[in-house]
Amino acid sequence: MDLLSNNSMFLLEKSMGFLWTKQAAILDNITNAETPGYKAKVVTFEETLRDKLEDAVQSSTPIRSARRILEESAPAVFEAQESTRLDNNGVNVTDQSAELIRNAYQLQYVMSAISSDLAALRAVARGQ
């Protein structure tokens, strides 16, 4: 296994993919806030990953590696069923805006972690 495909970097890569998917869904929701009948998109990853880990622990088959479980996990996008508006639109712009900001902070944190890992690898490669 090379230095760029260790479990830590792989988890950061999966996190980045999830956060980008979530960002796109939130932006779609805000864009369609005035579209009658539009249902807000919700993106989950933690629940999918947790379920796969629980299944691996409870199954009678040999336990798969954490990396394989991560490889098989992907963000799930579904439509929220709730709607409190008369036009049947399920988007709450205030909630979506707050979620957008939270997601941006998470993206910033993951990018910083990736940058830090790569800086450490660069220092090792230079012999510092």
Side-chain angles (χ1 to χ4, degrees):
M1 177 165 39
D2 64 74
L3 293 173
L4 293 178
S5 65
N6 64 32
N7 287 337
S8 172
M9 188 63 80
F10 186 67
L11 183 57
L12 289 170
E13 177 186 329
K14 290 296 269 189
S15 296
M16 184 65 77
F18 159 68
L19 291 168
W20 277 116
T21 302
K22 188 173 182 179
Q23 187 89 352
I26 293 168
L27 292 173
D28 282 349
N29 291 343
I30 292 172
T31 300
N32 288 291
E34 297 301 321
T35 304
Y38 180 82
K39 301 295 183 200
K41 294 178 186 174
V42 178
V43 180
T44 63
F45 179 69
E46 294 92 346
E47 294 84 357
T48 304
L49 181 58
R50 183 186 60 237
D51 291 345
K52 286 189 180 285
L53 289 170
E54 288 174 357
D55 289 346
V57 168
Q58 294 176 0
S59 72
S60 59
T61 59
I63 296 179
R64 298 174 290 175
S65 71
R67 185 177 182 96
R68 169 157 254 136
I69 291 170
L70 274 172
E71 288 171 350
E72 296 170 356
S73 299
V77 181
F78 60 92
E79 288 183 350
Q81 297 304 313
E82 60 196 46
S83 177
T84 57
R85 293 174 28 182
L86 293 175
D87 66 356
N88 242 2
N89 183 297
V91 177
N92 180 323
V93 176
T94 304
D95 289 348
Q96 292 298 307
S97 296
E99 194 62 27
L100 185 67
I101 292 167
R102 187 172 81 82
N103 198 66
Y105 278 118
Q106 288 176 319
L107 276 166
Q108 183 179 8
Y109 174 77
V110 171
M111 284 186 208
S112 175
I114 290 171
S115 178
S116 176
D117 284 359
L118 292 176
L121 286 173
R122 196 171 27 253
V124 168
R126 290 181 181 161
Q128 299 174 345

